Amino acid sequence: MVLLQVLQVNVNHSRAAHRAALMTAGDVNCDFLCLQDRYVVDGFPLGDALEYPMFSSNHFNCVTYCLDSNLNYSFKNSTFNSVTISIHFANIHLRLTNVYFQPHVNIDNLITEILYIGLNGSFDVLVGDFNARSQTWGYDFEDHRQFPNL
């Protein structure tokens, strides 16, 4: 059995939240930290003092930090709003995809990006902030962002 610990956090452009997420992930021994809406300075992502390997979307709006140096992983691909890494085990290849969809971007373009990722079934983990409000998780209304079955 494979057990991975992944912490996913939207840090809302906050330097303090970005650093706190890195510290928390390290404290609880997470294997991967997936951040969305991360802290950026002058168009570049916040460098981490702990020097964890990281992979980012093309627009730097989401990043995946690889915290466990004993794992075998590699970069798979990135789009404007997502980044995917492959995690290799003896007989399993798992893909971890981190996404951040901005609240006012056309949802059709975002769905096209997810389809481009090429999810391969039961060995894909998709995490992130889709900015889709729903009564299912406590909002008073359903917004226009409805996802088709992927």
Tab-separated table of all heavy atoms in Angstrom, residues 103-133:
chain	number	residue	atom	x	y	z
A	103	PRO	N	-11.123	33.335	-10.158
A	103	PRO	CA	-12.587	33.412	-10.055
A	103	PRO	C	-13.313	33.931	-11.295
A	103	PRO	O	-14.448	33.571	-11.527
A	103	PRO	CB	-12.831	34.344	-8.880
A	103	PRO	CG	-11.541	34.599	-8.237
A	103	PRO	CD	-10.457	34.103	-9.121
A	104	HIS	N	-12.692	34.775	-12.105
A	104	HIS	CA	-13.435	35.408	-13.189
A	104	HIS	C	-12.947	35.000	-14.576
A	104	HIS	O	-13.265	35.661	-15.553
A	104	HIS	CB	-13.397	36.931	-13.034
A	104	HIS	CG	-13.919	37.368	-11.700
A	104	HIS	ND1	-15.254	37.258	-11.355
A	104	HIS	CD2	-13.297	37.861	-10.619
A	104	HIS	CE1	-15.423	37.684	-10.120
A	104	HIS	NE2	-14.255	38.059	-9.647
A	105	VAL	N	-12.225	33.899	-14.669
A	105	VAL	CA	-11.733	33.412	-15.956
A	105	VAL	C	-12.784	32.486	-16.566
A	105	VAL	O	-13.488	31.773	-15.850
A	105	VAL	CB	-10.384	32.683	-15.754
A	105	VAL	CG1	-9.911	32.041	-17.040
A	105	VAL	CG2	-9.341	33.656	-15.234
A	106	ASN	N	-12.878	32.480	-17.864
A	106	ASN	CA	-13.840	31.634	-18.574
A	106	ASN	C	-13.627	30.162	-18.210
A	106	ASN	O	-12.557	29.603	-18.441
A	106	ASN	CB	-13.687	31.837	-20.083
A	106	ASN	CG	-14.685	31.040	-20.887
A	106	ASN	OD1	-15.192	30.010	-20.456
A	106	ASN	ND2	-14.969	31.520	-22.077
A	107	ILE	N	-14.637	29.542	-17.677
A	107	ILE	CA	-14.538	28.159	-17.201
A	107	ILE	C	-14.261	27.182	-18.341
A	107	ILE	O	-13.595	26.167	-18.148
A	107	ILE	CB	-15.800	27.753	-16.399
A	107	ILE	CG1	-15.556	26.457	-15.633
A	107	ILE	CG2	-17.000	27.610	-17.304
A	107	ILE	CD1	-14.602	26.559	-14.514
A	108	ASP	N	-14.716	27.471	-19.556
A	108	ASP	CA	-14.478	26.573	-20.683
A	108	ASP	C	-12.993	26.419	-20.967
A	108	ASP	O	-12.508	25.319	-21.257
A	108	ASP	CB	-15.205	27.058	-21.937
A	108	ASP	CG	-16.716	26.995	-21.794
A	108	ASP	OD1	-17.202	26.156	-20.999
A	108	ASP	OD2	-17.400	27.785	-22.455
A	109	ASN	N	-12.252	27.511	-20.888
A	109	ASN	CA	-10.799	27.440	-21.102
A	109	ASN	C	-10.133	26.599	-20.006
A	109	ASN	O	-9.170	25.879	-20.263
A	109	ASN	CB	-10.191	28.840	-21.119
A	109	ASN	CG	-10.686	29.664	-22.285
A	109	ASN	OD1	-11.164	29.137	-23.279
A	109	ASN	ND2	-10.596	30.977	-22.155
A	110	LEU	N	-10.647	26.703	-18.809
A	110	LEU	CA	-10.068	25.957	-17.697
A	110	LEU	C	-10.352	24.464	-17.841
A	110	LEU	O	-9.486	23.620	-17.557
A	110	LEU	CB	-10.593	26.505	-16.372
A	110	LEU	CG	-10.343	28.006	-16.173
A	110	LEU	CD1	-10.984	28.483	-14.883
A	110	LEU	CD2	-8.871	28.333	-16.186
A	111	ILE	N	-11.537	24.126	-18.291
A	111	ILE	CA	-11.873	22.717	-18.528
A	111	ILE	C	-10.971	22.153	-19.614
A	111	ILE	O	-10.479	21.026	-19.517
A	111	ILE	CB	-13.362	22.559	-18.902
A	111	ILE	CG1	-14.247	22.973	-17.731
A	111	ILE	CG2	-13.662	21.135	-19.346
A	111	ILE	CD1	-14.034	22.184	-16.463
A	112	THR	N	-10.703	22.941	-20.652
A	112	THR	CA	-9.799	22.504	-21.714
A	112	THR	C	-8.417	22.201	-21.138
A	112	THR	O	-7.779	21.219	-21.525
A	112	THR	CB	-9.702	23.581	-22.815
A	112	THR	OG1	-11.003	23.783	-23.356
A	112	THR	CG2	-8.747	23.170	-23.910
A	113	GLU	N	-7.959	22.999	-20.208
A	113	GLU	CA	-6.662	22.736	-19.571
A	113	GLU	C	-6.675	21.406	-18.821
A	113	GLU	O	-5.713	20.650	-18.884
A	113	GLU	CB	-6.280	23.864	-18.610
A	113	GLU	CG	-5.722	25.065	-19.307
A	113	GLU	CD	-5.052	26.019	-18.341
A	113	GLU	OE1	-4.390	25.563	-17.385
A	113	GLU	OE2	-5.182	27.231	-18.552
A	114	ILE	N	-7.746	21.131	-18.095
A	114	ILE	CA	-7.821	19.857	-17.364
A	114	ILE	C	-7.802	18.697	-18.348
A	114	ILE	O	-7.123	17.693	-18.135
A	114	ILE	CB	-9.076	19.798	-16.472
A	114	ILE	CG1	-8.913	20.743	-15.292
A	114	ILE	CG2	-9.309	18.378	-15.970
A	114	ILE	CD1	-10.105	20.795	-14.376
A	115	LEU	N	-8.513	18.840	-19.453
A	115	LEU	CA	-8.519	17.774	-20.452
A	115	LEU	C	-7.139	17.593	-21.077
A	115	LEU	O	-6.722	16.477	-21.377
A	115	LEU	CB	-9.564	18.068	-21.529
A	115	LEU	CG	-11.012	18.079	-21.024
A	115	LEU	CD1	-11.961	18.518	-22.130
A	115	LEU	CD2	-11.407	16.731	-20.465
A	116	TYR	N	-6.396	18.672	-21.223
A	116	TYR	CA	-5.033	18.618	-21.763
A	116	TYR	C	-4.100	17.826	-20.841
A	116	TYR	O	-3.191	17.154	-21.303
A	116	TYR	CB	-4.500	20.036	-21.968
A	116	TYR	CG	-3.027	20.078	-22.293
A	116	TYR	CD1	-2.571	19.766	-23.576
A	116	TYR	CD2	-2.096	20.427	-21.314
A	116	TYR	CE1	-1.219	19.796	-23.866
A	116	TYR	CE2	-0.744	20.459	-21.611
A	116	TYR	CZ	-0.306	20.144	-22.881
A	116	TYR	OH	1.027	20.170	-23.169
A	117	ILE	N	-4.350	17.911	-19.554
A	117	ILE	CA	-3.515	17.206	-18.576
A	117	ILE	C	-3.505	15.711	-18.878
A	117	ILE	O	-2.499	15.040	-18.695
A	117	ILE	CB	-4.019	17.464	-17.135
A	117	ILE	CG1	-3.817	18.928	-16.762
A	117	ILE	CG2	-3.331	16.539	-16.139
A	117	ILE	CD1	-4.549	19.344	-15.502
A	118	GLY	N	-4.610	15.187	-19.361
A	118	GLY	CA	-4.681	13.778	-19.720
A	118	GLY	C	-4.762	12.863	-18.514
A	118	GLY	O	-3.951	11.964	-18.340
A	119	LEU	N	-5.744	13.081	-17.668
A	119	LEU	CA	-5.915	12.225	-16.497
A	119	LEU	C	-6.073	10.785	-16.961
A	119	LEU	O	-6.765	10.499	-17.918
A	119	LEU	CB	-7.132	12.678	-15.690
A	119	LEU	CG	-7.084	14.123	-15.195
A	119	LEU	CD1	-8.374	14.472	-14.478
A	119	LEU	CD2	-5.897	14.363	-14.300
A	120	ASN	N	-5.389	9.870	-16.263
A	120	ASN	CA	-5.368	8.487	-16.750
A	120	ASN	C	-6.153	7.517	-15.889
A	120	ASN	O	-5.944	6.328	-15.964
A	120	ASN	CB	-3.930	8.005	-16.924
A	120	ASN	CG	-3.205	7.828	-15.600
A	120	ASN	OD1	-3.757	8.096	-14.540
A	120	ASN	ND2	-1.959	7.397	-15.658
A	121	GLY	N	-7.045	8.003	-15.048
A	121	GLY	CA	-7.882	7.082	-14.289
A	121	GLY	C	-7.555	7.054	-12.820
A	121	GLY	O	-7.345	8.068	-12.195
A	122	SER	N	-7.466	5.853	-12.270
A	122	SER	CA	-7.400	5.690	-10.826
A	122	SER	C	-6.078	6.111	-10.200
A	122	SER	O	-5.959	6.159	-9.001
A	122	SER	CB	-7.695	4.235	-10.457
A	122	SER	OG	-6.711	3.387	-11.011
A	123	PHE	N	-5.075	6.441	-11.014
A	123	PHE	CA	-3.787	6.830	-10.445
A	123	PHE	C	-3.499	8.314	-10.603
A	123	PHE	O	-2.363	8.725	-10.726
A	123	PHE	CB	-2.656	5.990	-11.047
A	123	PHE	CG	-2.809	4.528	-10.775
A	123	PHE	CD1	-2.957	3.638	-11.810
A	123	PHE	CD2	-2.845	4.048	-9.477
A	123	PHE	CE1	-3.119	2.289	-11.565
A	123	PHE	CE2	-3.005	2.708	-9.217
A	123	PHE	CZ	-3.140	1.818	-10.266
A	124	ASP	N	-4.547	9.109	-10.605
A	124	ASP	CA	-4.421	10.561	-10.681
A	124	ASP	C	-5.003	11.185	-9.421
A	124	ASP	O	-6.066	10.792	-8.961
A	124	ASP	CB	-5.196	11.124	-11.876
A	124	ASP	CG	-4.517	10.823	-13.184
A	124	ASP	OD1	-3.352	11.184	-13.342
A	124	ASP	OD2	-5.172	10.218	-14.038
A	125	VAL	N	-4.281	12.172	-8.905
A	125	VAL	CA	-4.778	12.959	-7.781
A	125	VAL	C	-4.848	14.402	-8.274
A	125	VAL	O	-3.841	14.956	-8.723
A	125	VAL	CB	-3.847	12.851	-6.546
A	125	VAL	CG1	-4.358	13.733	-5.418
A	125	VAL	CG2	-3.704	11.409	-6.101
A	126	LEU	N	-6.035	14.992	-8.221
A	126	LEU	CA	-6.264	16.356	-8.674
A	126	LEU	C	-6.635	17.194	-7.460
A	126	LEU	O	-7.644	16.931	-6.807
A	126	LEU	CB	-7.390	16.371	-9.717
A	126	LEU	CG	-7.787	17.701	-10.337
A	126	LEU	CD1	-6.628	18.298	-11.128
A	126	LEU	CD2	-9.006	17.513	-11.243
A	127	VAL	N	-5.791	18.184	-7.135
A	127	VAL	CA	-6.048	19.065	-5.995
A	127	VAL	C	-5.989	20.507	-6.463
A	127	VAL	O	-5.409	20.804	-7.501
A	127	VAL	CB	-5.021	18.849	-4.840
A	127	VAL	CG1	-5.052	17.430	-4.337
A	127	VAL	CG2	-3.619	19.242	-5.265
A	128	GLY	N	-6.587	21.401	-5.686
A	128	GLY	CA	-6.465	22.804	-6.016
A	128	GLY	C	-7.658	23.624	-5.609
A	128	GLY	O	-8.533	23.180	-4.882
A	129	ASP	N	-7.667	24.839	-6.112
A	129	ASP	CA	-8.743	25.790	-5.854
A	129	ASP	C	-9.417	26.081	-7.186
A	129	ASP	O	-8.827	26.696	-8.072
A	129	ASP	CB	-8.174	27.072	-5.244
A	129	ASP	CG	-9.242	28.060	-4.858
A	129	ASP	OD1	-10.413	27.889	-5.269
A	129	ASP	OD2	-8.921	29.030	-4.159
A	130	PHE	N	-10.660	25.606	-7.323
A	130	PHE	CA	-11.407	25.777	-8.556
A	130	PHE	C	-12.272	27.033	-8.533
A	130	PHE	O	-12.894	27.370	-9.519
A	130	PHE	CB	-12.287	24.553	-8.806
A	130	PHE	CG	-11.487	23.312	-9.043
A	130	PHE	CD1	-11.068	22.526	-7.984
A	130	PHE	CD2	-11.145	22.939	-10.325
A	130	PHE	CE1	-10.318	21.385	-8.194
A	130	PHE	CE2	-10.396	21.798	-10.554
A	130	PHE	CZ	-9.987	21.016	-9.489
A	131	ASN	N	-12.335	27.715	-7.390
A	131	ASN	CA	-13.172	28.908	-7.244
A	131	ASN	C	-14.587	28.667	-7.747
A	131	ASN	O	-15.166	29.481	-8.460
A	131	ASN	CB	-12.541	30.112	-7.948
A	131	ASN	CG	-11.550	30.810	-7.058
A	131	ASN	OD1	-11.865	31.198	-5.932
A	131	ASN	ND2	-10.316	30.948	-7.539
A	132	ALA	N	-15.138	27.550	-7.368
A	132	ALA	CA	-16.521	27.207	-7.712
A	132	ALA	C	-17.325	27.129	-6.419
A	132	ALA	O	-17.109	26.252	-5.604
A	132	ALA	CB	-16.564	25.871	-8.453
A	133	ARG	N	-18.225	28.088	-6.237
A	133	ARG	CA	-19.020	28.130	-5.009
A	133	ARG	C	-20.247	27.233	-5.150
A	133	ARG	O	-20.846	27.163	-6.210
A	133	ARG	CB	-19.418	29.556	-4.697
A	133	ARG	CG	-18.201	30.412	-4.335
A	133	ARG	CD	-18.580	31.853	-4.307
A	133	ARG	NE	-18.732	32.301	-5.674
A	133	ARG	CZ	-18.095	33.346	-6.198
A	133	ARG	NH1	-17.307	34.058	-5.460
A	133	ARG	NH2	-18.286	33.688	-7.443
